[in-house]
Amino acid sequence: MLTESLIALAAAGGTAVVQAAGTEAWESVRDGVVRMFRRRPDREDEVELELHRTALLGASDDTEGSSRQANLWQARFSSLLGEADDRVRQQTEAELRQLVSLVPGVADRYPALNVHGNTYDKSPQQYGNHNHMQIHYGSDT
């Protein structure tokens, strides 16, 4: 089962692939996607075909088609992350984060991408009354 941040990463990856079509980032994004799916030789040909469709769609103004393509890529990335062992998942996650960073503004739309195993050295303290609550992590000094 994928964590919330991996689900967001897969969604951001789908968005990045579609938004990169027809831009300067396309070649780098396309190459990154192909590299990730080379680990799955049974899917490599269909991925290349789907990348070609995405590139063609990027040349049009089909908003509905772009949304469908983004969802398709999200499902592919989710599957890739979900089926991998821990080592491959970590490598794929790093590559997908790199791919998302190639397309300006995509990562900003997915706040869960910025959460990475937050740990706090002290327990949180909550203070409040009926209308107001404060939560403090660590020392106030």
Side-chain angles (χ1 to χ4, degrees), residues 120-125 135-140:
Y120 300 96
D121 61 337
K122 298 192 180 202
S123 297
Q125 299 173 10
I135 302 174
H136 297 274
Y137 295 93
S139 173
D140 286 339

Side-chain angles (χ1 to χ4, degrees), residues 59-118:
S60 72
D61 284 338
D62 184 359
T63 308
E64 187 177 314
S66 293
S67 179
R68 280 193 311 270
Q69 280 296 107
N71 289 336
L72 181 138
W73 284 111
Q74 176 183 356
R76 286 183 187 275
F77 291 134
S78 293
S79 176
L80 192 64
L81 290 164
E83 294 170 1
D85 63 34
D86 286 340
R87 183 186 60 77
V88 173
R89 182 180 301 117
Q90 289 174 357
Q91 182 179 1
T92 303
E93 179 181 355
E95 290 174 354
L96 193 50
R97 284 184 187 281
Q98 174 62 30
L99 183 141
V100 168
S101 74
L102 295 173
V103 184
V106 172
D108 297 337
R109 291 202 252 153
Y110 297 91
L113 293 179
N114 301 314
V115 177
H116 304 285
N118 288 335

Side-chain angles (χ1 to χ4, degrees), residues 3-20:
T3 64
E4 180 182 352
S5 64
L6 288 179
I7 292 168
L9 180 59
T15 300
V17 171
V18 172
Q19 285 192 358

